Amino acid sequence: VCNHPVKHIFRGTFVHSTQDTPLKILEDNVLGVDDDGKIAFIESGKDVVSLSHKWGFKASDVKQLELHEFIMPGLVDTHIHASQYSYTGTALDLPLLQWLNTYTFPVEAKYKDLTFADNVYNKVVRRTLMNGTTTACYFATIHTDASLLLGEIANKLGQRALVGKVCMNCNNAVEHYKESTEESSEETKRFIHELLKKKYPHVRPVVTPRFALSCCSALMRDLGDIAKNNNLHIQSHISENKEECEAVKQLFPEFESYTDVYLKHNLLTDKTVMAHGCYLSDAELQVFRDTGASISHCPNSNISICSGLLDVRNVLNHKVKIGLGTDVAGGYSPSILDAIRRALDSSKVLTIQDPSHQTLTFEEVFRLATLGGSQALSLDSETGNFEVGKDFDALLVNVCAPEGPMDICGPEPPKVLLEKFLNLGDDRNIREVYVAGRRVVPFAETASC
Ligand code: GUN
Ligand code: ZN
């Protein structure tokens, strides 16, 4: 009998992605989660008796999945503005730069008020968890204390999160919603120090220059240094909208490209994730590949504020890491299931425009939403699929939830159930959510194990 007891054992169908296969279906498998929340084993159900002897569990400890149920890896949102959740679903009538000035900056300025922040941040973490987001990479606002509060809430509710205090020292639209260079660097250091001091197991800081139009050269250089000295993640935006790309060219004429601006400020590392990238050239994608930086594909936002269409196939062909993001509130949906659908639609639009474009398959987009996202955030040694030793971040899906949004009209293989869920499902189908072996949905007053 093993020394490490298992705290959950599930038997049924598991679906996940690997490096080699976008969709691997494991029917009648048994998966055990150890006391540390890690996957102890995943093996054929036929071996359950020998597994029970080896791991010291009883038949009654095994949770048998029901018909139309399966377990899949948790969804990864590689780019979401927690602070913009308050107005998600509205204000989508302006292009990026006007949208930021008119809607975004005035709202973000309100997070100076911690009561306001507490309310919205609790709501966004709960909503995304219910929607199956087990890992989220968040932008907060420039306010250090409110950003720390977001980290505290993610930890309390059990979500794996990268949390960024936003840095910006250029903003002509909203008075007071900007920092001096020194303030931005010093507050970033304080944010990192305070957040790390809490020792939350699954919440970490991410260095967050808003984008090249919000940060002067000196600030970007400082932030690159801070990330390097503390071995931290970096997130920002790149090549989202044509007007933005033009403005970056005007502001940084000595650089070869938008990507070169970030590269030369030491902001492109293998722990960098850049949102959008709609207008990156092949040469710029090669720089992403060389540095190990990744792209967050945010199709709802790209369409909603008419920014552009990212050619994901071309990104994949360049072997650049890529995951999906909701980009709330440029994207109006706080669900990665929505991002999956928009990613498929966007790819189909590219095929309509050019029939030689190789449309993404649902299996490929499933991988982007899970393993791809964990790779984009350089968290794939911890999460993203059901390899033994990784944390158990998972969704228990019931495609036939009685109050759910779809019907199953006869016996269907797991692949069909997954495709239906990805295209038609919602939070009513997500019966349970686990992060590092802890059941975090349904919500409990106190943490349930
Ligand atoms: N570029 C700089 N800031 C933002 C933001 O808040 N949202 C989006 N979509 N793009 C940005
Ligand atoms: Zn964004």
Side-chain angles (χ1 to χ4, degrees):
V1 175
C2 275
N3 297 330
H4 302 288
V6 277
K7 71 169 172 186
H8 300 292
I9 305 115
F10 300 94
R11 182 170 182 176
T13 299
F14 298 82
V15 298
H16 71 157
S17 302
T18 64
Q19 196 52 43
D20 305 332
T21 327
L23 175 58
K24 203 162 177 180
I25 296 171
L26 304 162
E27 288 189 78
D28 188 30
N29 265 232
V30 196
L31 181 149
V33 182
D34 72 17
D35 253 2
D36 295 330
K38 294 187 192 307
I39 298 164
F41 57 83
I42 176 162
E43 296 187 30
S44 166
K46 290 200 281 289
D47 301 330
V48 71
V49 173
S50 64
L51 284 166
S52 72
H53 292 145
K54 179 171 175 194
W55 293 92
F57 61 83
K58 302 189 290 291
S60 59
D61 295 332
V62 178
K63 179 169 176 145
Q64 173 69 53
L65 301 193
E66 291 172 19
L67 191 67
H68 302 129
E69 286 188 337
F70 61 83
I71 290 181
M72 61 173 274
L75 298 165
V76 180
D77 189 340
T78 59
H79 185 80
I80 171 166
H81 296 261
S83 52
Q84 296 171 19
Y85 185 63
S86 64
Y87 69 99
T88 203
T90 69
L92 299 166
D93 58 339
L94 292 174
L96 177 66
L97 301 182
Q98 293 92 309
W99 177 84
L100 287 171
N101 290 340
T102 310
Y103 304 119
T104 308
F105 297 151
V107 169
E108 289 193 12
K110 296 202 264 182
Y111 286 74
K112 200 171 171 224
D113 175 355
L114 288 177
T115 309
F116 181 79
D118 186 55
N119 177 37
V120 181
Y121 287 165
N122 268 290
K123 287 194 164 74
V124 69
V125 175
R126 282 174 175 270
R127 177 62 57 193
T128 53
L129 276 174
M130 281 166 64
N131 288 341
T133 300
T134 50
T135 300
C137 186
Y138 286 116
F139 274 60
T141 61
I142 67 171
H143 313 95
T144 304
D145 293 323
S147 305
L148 289 167
L149 183 59
L150 175 58
E152 183 184 325
I153 291 165
N155 177 65
K156 175 187 73 181
L157 294 171
Q159 191 171 50
R160 188 184 301 279
L162 295 171
V163 178
K165 170 230 165 305
V166 174
C167 294
M168 51 192 285
N169 63 352
C170 312
N171 171 14
N172 296 324
V174 174
E175 223 193 331
H176 306 307
Y177 193 56
K178 69 172 171 190
E179 316 155 287
S180 69
T181 308
E182 199 193 349
E183 207 181 341
S184 194
S185 303
E186 289 309 311
E187 284 297 296
T188 295
K189 287 186 208 159
R190 180 167 83 84
F191 172 71
I192 293 164
H193 179 75
E194 298 278 325
L195 192 64
L196 292 177
K197 209 167 70 184
K198 303 280 188 189
K199 299 205 183 304
Y200 300 139
H202 309 299
V203 176
R204 302 171 210 189
V206 43
V207 174
T208 306
R210 179 167 214 122
F211 69 154
L213 297 182
S214 297
C215 302
C216 75
S217 229
L219 177 56
M220 284 196 277
R221 199 160 290 118
D222 274 5
L223 296 175
D225 289 345
I226 292 171
K228 188 169 179 193
N229 294 337
N230 298 279
N231 188 25
L232 291 179
H233 283 82
I234 299 171
Q235 63 176 348
S236 190
H237 298 87
I238 195 166
S239 289
E240 176 175 1
N241 150 303
K242 284 187 180 165
E243 193 185 0
E244 169 214 9
C245 293
E246 198 47 47
V248 170
K249 216 182 252 177
Q250 299 293 323
L251 203 59
F252 298 94
E254 67 276 33
F255 295 87
E256 258 174 54
S257 63
Y258 200 157
T259 299
D260 195 43
V261 174
Y262 290 138
L263 178 71
K264 297 281 163 60
H265 290 90
N266 297 326
L267 290 167
L268 290 188
T269 74
D270 62 0
K271 291 172 90 173
T272 297
V273 57
M274 288 283 168
H276 304 288
C278 300
Y279 299 101
L280 294 173
S281 66
D282 288 351
E284 289 178 283
L285 287 174
Q286 190 56 47
V287 175
F288 272 73
R289 162 83 173 148
D290 293 343
T291 54
S294 69
I295 291 174
S296 170
H297 177 37
C298 304
N300 188 316
S301 174
N302 289 344
I303 296 164
S304 292
I305 54 173
C306 296
S307 297
L309 291 171
L310 174 66
D311 185 345
V312 174
R313 177 66 63 204
N314 191 41
V315 175
L316 292 172
N317 287 343
H318 280 81
K319 303 205 178 319
V320 171
K321 296 186 289 182
I322 180 166
L324 297 183
T326 58
D327 195 26
V328 162
Y332 58 76
S333 171
S335 171
I336 287 294
L337 288 172
D338 169 88
I340 288 170
R341 294 160 200 169
R342 307 286 155 177
L344 285 163
D345 286 354
S346 299
S347 179
K348 287 171 183 170
V349 170
L350 292 175
T351 303
I352 291 166
Q353 290 174 345
D354 171 8
S356 73
H357 178 260
Q358 196 190 345
T359 316
L360 296 175
T361 65
F362 88 83
E363 293 94 333
E364 287 178 304
V365 180
F366 170 72
R367 175 156 65 188
L368 294 182
T370 55
L371 183 63
S374 73
Q375 290 168 334
L377 299 179
S378 287
L379 295 173
D380 52 310
S381 61
E382 288 160 60
T383 185
N385 64 7
F386 296 136
E387 275 173 36
V388 170
K390 286 194 185 184
D391 286 359
F392 182 66
D393 289 4
L395 315 182
L396 195 165
V397 175
N398 183 343
V399 184
C400 249
E403 70 280 28
M406 63 183 135
D407 295 305
I408 303 296
C409 305
E412 299 284 9
K415 185 172 162 179
V416 171
L417 296 182
L418 175 67
E419 188 177 10
K420 280 219 177 226
F421 170 63
L422 297 181
N423 280 316
L424 297 169
D426 64 25
D427 56 306
R428 290 169 291 186
N429 301 106
I430 301 175
R431 310 306 298 191
E432 295 179 355
V433 178
Y434 292 83
V435 177
R438 171 182 168 197
R439 201 185 75 188
V440 296
V441 172
F443 300 119
E445 280 315 308
T446 51
S448 65
C449 286

